[in-house]
Amino acid sequence: MIISGGILNGNIYGGYSDSNSAYKNAISISGSTITGNIYGSYSITGSTYENIMTISGKASINGAIYNAYSAQSSADKNKLTISGGTITGNIYNGYSQAGNAYNNVVTISGGNGTSTIYSGYSETSSANNNTINILRRKNVSTVYGGFSGAAYANENIINVRGGTIDTIYGGYSSGPGFANNNTVNLWGGIVTGKIHGGYSPAGTGSNNVLNIYGNGLKAENIADFQKINFFIPTDAVNKDIILTLSDPTGTGIDLTGLNKLNGM
């Protein structure tokens, strides 16, 4: 499906199935004003996988985006690329109400909006092995590599090279599950809020890693990491400030997990 102009009211579906899987659908949006939600694929009882959505140009989207939506099964291996447009609703790449959300990838290199972005989202099951790549974008609200409402959010990755972001969660489990082995890689960009590794208010988080590759980076604070690696740039000089945290209350990170490594 290709959308390049006009005003579209109501929801849009790239692929829809009540009882079977919705997979390998492709939708490209490079223009138009869209007031409803956009579903790259939608299935009630089946899985949604390997769907591709691209958003570019001057597209204006006021509703939520679901690249792959499954009510009762899994949402896996979906790819969402955003290089332009203005989006005000939340953005979900792989979304499942009752199944897992695994191996989904979001790449953002432009555009505007105040959206919250989820690469993998599961209301009642696990959201593992999802990735978000942020190269450039203004006014991103909060990003979640993997979000689980009741189970695990493990082994998710967020790569930040540019843009302005409020808050980052590598993995977030709001139920009694775990948020383990999540990684945030920071090369650039501005984070106005907090960077979290693996956050689980009712469960546990372990082996979450923050890798810092850039110079002159800024964030309000960092939390929920068990290991922090500073890859000092080869062009860094004496008294360069690699990372500035602006929270006046300080940070509660255990510094025993802090490592200084060779430049990259």
Side-chain angles (χ1 to χ4, degrees), residues 172-192:
Y172 187 114
S173 174
S174 64
F178 299 104
N180 299 335
N181 302 308
N182 299 286
T183 302
V184 176
N185 297 310
L186 195 61
W187 282 271
I190 298 173
V191 182
T192 59

Side-chain angles (χ1 to χ4, degrees), residues 182 184 195-197 208-210 222-228 253:
N182 299 286
V184 176
I195 304 173
H196 300 264
N208 297 289
V209 179
L210 173 62
I222 53 178
D224 307 307
F225 292 102
Q226 288 71 52
K227 187 175 183 180
I228 303 173
I253 287 289

Side-chain angles (χ1 to χ4, degrees), residues 16-100:
Y16 183 102
S17 176
D18 287 331
S19 57
N20 295 311
S21 295
Y23 60 97
K24 294 186 178 181
N25 298 285
I27 181 168
S28 174
I29 304 170
S30 60
S32 185
T33 297
I34 300 171
T35 61
N37 295 336
I38 301 173
Y39 299 87
S41 64
Y42 184 105
S43 178
I44 296 177
T45 60
S47 59
T48 53
Y49 61 91
E50 296 182 12
N51 298 284
I52 297 174
M53 182 184 294
T54 60
I55 300 171
S56 62
K58 297 182 179 181
S60 177
I61 302 169
N62 298 320
I65 293 174
Y66 301 87
N67 185 22
Y69 184 108
S70 176
Q72 299 178 22
S73 191
S74 61
D76 301 331
K77 297 181 181 179
N78 301 287
K79 293 182 179 181
L80 171 61
T81 301
I82 301 172
S83 61
T86 299
I87 305 168
T88 57
N90 287 345
I91 299 170
Y92 305 89
N93 186 17
Y95 182 106
S96 176
Q97 288 183 270
N100 295 320

